[in-house]
Amino acid sequence: MQFFYSNYVCNMNVDFIIVGQGICGTWLSYYLSKTNASFIVIDNNQPNTSSKVAVGIINPVTGRRIVKTWIIDSLLLHLENACFELEKEIGFSILSQNKIIDFFSTLQIQSAFKNKIDEDDSFLKIPTNQNEFETLFNYEFGFGEISPCYLFNLKKVIPEWRKKLIAKNQILEELFVIDNLKFTNTKVTYKNINASKIIFCDGITSFNNPYFKNLPFSFNKGEVLQIETAEFPASNIFKKGIVLVPQGDNLFWVGSNYEWNFAHINPTNEFLEKTKKQLNNWLKVPFKIVDHKASIRPSNLERRPFVGFHPIHQNIGILNGMGTKGCTLAPYFAKQLVDNLFYNTPIHSEASLERFNAILK
Ligand SMILES: Cc1cc2nc3c(=O)[nH]c(=O)nc-3n(C[C@H](O)[C@H](O)[C@H](O)COP(=O)(O)OP(=O)(O)OC[C@H]3O[C@@H](n4cnc5c(N)ncnc54)[C@H](O)[C@@H]3O)c2cc1C
């Protein structure tokens, strides 16, 4: 990277500008750091972004129908290796193997779980000791177990990776304003930064990006509580409609809902009261609510990521649309994007931006 100092901020020539350092920008900058390319990340460190409110569950099955997560075998294989490599660089463990104790709220849900096991038992089982949690929880219809699942330590990885970027002068902590972006066929210029390409990893901000606003983005709001209770084993994630995730120091993340229609982005009293009631019915032990947050997931109607470059403006790219599964999808697709750039290898056809060539043109 070359710096030419001016009276405002240094002029810079880099190969890539990355806008945003949530989970997508973190993995993308990590994989670019493994190449000879130079890059600068621009991120204004907004509070309560999706990556800051999420807890980092990597669940191999999805939804009420307990279907296997899309391409989960490839995603998990990649994730384990990727986290192992990143751990070496940031010096602490970032991925823990866990299991979800899934309490059945009705007999129908119990029997649907059993039917799924008959079809494919790779991640599901019904433990024989069904009394194991009866001192802690109310549950009439028993529980199943989903394992392995994983917890990705978002809370620590994003700020720690940011410190690395700061130490190497690879991040500008400021608001990116798209009106200041200029480009030709061969280069992009943002203020005094010249780059070959720019890649947007800016979460819901991309919904208004003039180059990508025609993508089928959709906003999905989620609220979470943090509770304090001393009583739970920290080795399990517990689920009964809502999910309870250990965070250390007797703190537990409790979430979340999925709101497609909402009046504002802030936490609501409605969620607070509803979740308090659910917890009071479910937990047999005392708890204290210590925090309440909300965020918007950068979701999309197709439930598949957006990965690649604009069909006309080929030096403008995007890595986004991770929806409810940023921790599972971002490492895999950040690597695919970097491999595509350097080795021209294909991006998975269901995630590649090429599927939207017609509407983006
Ligand atoms: C309540 C809730 C629970 C969730 N739980 C999970 C979970 O358990 N597991 C899971 O895998 N996923 C979960 N998710 C989804 C996950 O959080 C998202 O898929 C993921 O965080 C999206 O990451 P991102 O990098 O695309 O966007 P973001 O996290 O939104 O990051 C975008 C970044 O860009 C920056 N930025 C934006 N605009 C600008 C600008 N103009 N200038 C400068 N910087 C800018 C922001 O400051 C931010 O740092 C959850 C989401 C929510 C809301």
Side-chain angles (χ1 to χ4, degrees):
M1 194 188 302
Q2 291 174 5
F3 292 90
F4 306 102
Y5 288 95
S6 73
N7 52 4
Y8 168 48
V9 66
C10 46
N11 284 322
M12 235 181 253
N13 292 328
V14 289
D15 295 312
F16 298 97
I17 300 171
I18 299 173
V19 184
Q21 194 236 328
I23 189 70
C24 287
T26 295
W27 280 110
L28 183 63
S29 55
Y30 168 74
Y31 282 118
L32 283 179
S33 75
K34 300 286 155 208
T35 68
N36 290 327
S38 56
F39 64 87
I40 186 87
V41 177
I42 303 177
D43 184 288
N44 63 344
N45 215 356
Q46 287 168 37
N48 296 339
T49 55
S50 202
S51 300
K52 285 178 182 145
V53 171
V55 71
I57 301 172
I58 290 158
N59 187 348
V61 295
T62 303
R64 281 166 178 242
R65 289 186 296 128
I66 332 168
V67 287
K68 253 186 170 183
T69 300
W70 176 62
I71 60 169
I72 190 64
D73 298 325
S74 311
L75 296 174
L76 285 183
L77 189 65
H78 180 82
L79 179 87
E80 285 174 9
N81 292 328
C83 289
F84 180 72
E85 293 301 321
L86 179 57
E87 273 172 7
K88 283 198 265 182
E89 240 174 89
I90 54 181
F92 58 87
S93 165
I94 62 174
L95 189 71
S96 54
Q97 191 169 320
N98 220 299
K99 58 189 176 199
I100 298 177
I101 303 299
D102 191 359
F103 295 106
F104 306 129
S105 47
T106 62
L107 274 178
Q108 286 91 324
I109 291 177
Q110 182 202 69
S111 96
F113 197 97
K114 286 180 177 162
N115 291 342
K116 276 286 164 190
I117 293 180
D118 294 340
E119 279 170 32
D120 178 358
D121 66 354
S122 38
F123 296 105
L124 308 177
K125 73 174 184 187
I126 306 251
T128 38
N129 179 8
Q130 289 282 303
N131 302 325
E132 189 179 349
F133 301 108
E134 66 182 9
T135 56
L136 302 174
F137 296 97
N138 289 308
Y139 56 99
E140 286 174 66
F141 304 106
F143 63 89
E145 188 180 299
I146 302 169
S147 68
C149 72
Y150 297 84
L151 265 183
F152 180 79
N153 195 342
L154 268 172
K155 211 167 98 188
K156 271 180 89 177
V157 170
I158 290 180
E160 286 300 320
W161 184 248
R162 194 176 190 93
K163 280 187 205 159
K164 294 254 170 213
L165 294 174
I166 292 170
K168 292 182 190 162
N169 284 326
Q170 286 175 319
I171 188 162
L172 287 179
E173 298 194 280
E174 64 177 50
L175 179 74
F176 176 90
V177 180
I178 198 137
D179 297 346
N180 295 327
L181 180 69
K182 310 272 180 285
F183 59 90
T184 64
N185 285 342
T186 52
K187 76 169 195 177
V188 296
T189 303
Y190 180 72
K191 293 184 176 173
N192 43 4
I193 307 169
N194 299 311
S196 306
K197 292 186 189 298
I198 184 166
I199 303 174
F200 287 93
C201 302
D202 51 354
I204 57 168
T205 307
S206 271
F207 293 26
N208 296 317
N209 184 312
Y211 308 103
F212 296 119
K213 67 179 184 202
N214 287 346
L215 293 175
F217 282 113
S218 63
F219 295 99
N220 182 261
K221 182 177 176 181
E223 295 188 48
V224 304
L225 301 180
Q226 193 176 43
I227 63 166
E228 193 178 341
T229 169
E231 310 279 349
F232 297 106
S235 53
N236 297 324
I237 294 168
F238 296 99
K239 181 168 174 233
K240 192 178 178 196
I242 43 171
V243 180
L244 198 67
V245 183
Q247 300 246 272
D249 300 327
N250 299 332
L251 294 172
F252 292 81
W253 182 100
V254 180
S256 178
N257 57 347
Y258 302 87
E259 290 289 342
W260 299 100
N261 295 308
F262 46 91
H264 56 78
I265 59 168
N266 301 318
T268 62
N269 205 38
E270 196 186 342
F271 175 82
L272 177 68
E273 290 308 319
K274 187 177 164 207
T275 310
K276 226 188 313 183
K277 200 165 153 198
Q278 272 176 294
L279 289 170
N280 280 322
N281 288 336
W282 184 28
L283 310 188
K284 286 185 172 173
V285 294
F287 64 90
K288 189 168 94 187
I289 294 171
V290 293
D291 204 0
H292 179 190
K293 288 182 176 166
S295 188
I296 313 293
R297 301 173 181 92
S299 301
N300 71 77
L301 300 174
E302 282 194 321
R303 293 166 201 262
R304 296 288 180 265
F306 302 134
V307 188
F309 286 84
H310 193 282
I312 295 175
H313 311 298
Q314 289 182 359
N315 39 18
I316 304 183
I318 190 166
L319 178 66
N320 204 325
M322 302 291 154
T324 59
K325 295 196 177 296
C327 298
T328 320
L329 298 168
Y332 186 83
F333 285 105
K335 178 77 164 71
Q336 282 211 344
L337 187 56
V338 171
D339 286 349
N340 175 265
L341 277 165
F342 288 88
Y343 309 111
N344 214 13
T345 49
I347 293 166
H348 193 297
S349 59
E350 286 181 58
S352 169
L353 208 60
E354 284 180 5
R355 71 197 193 276
F356 296 110
N357 276 358
I359 63 163
L360 291 175
K361 277 177 180 169

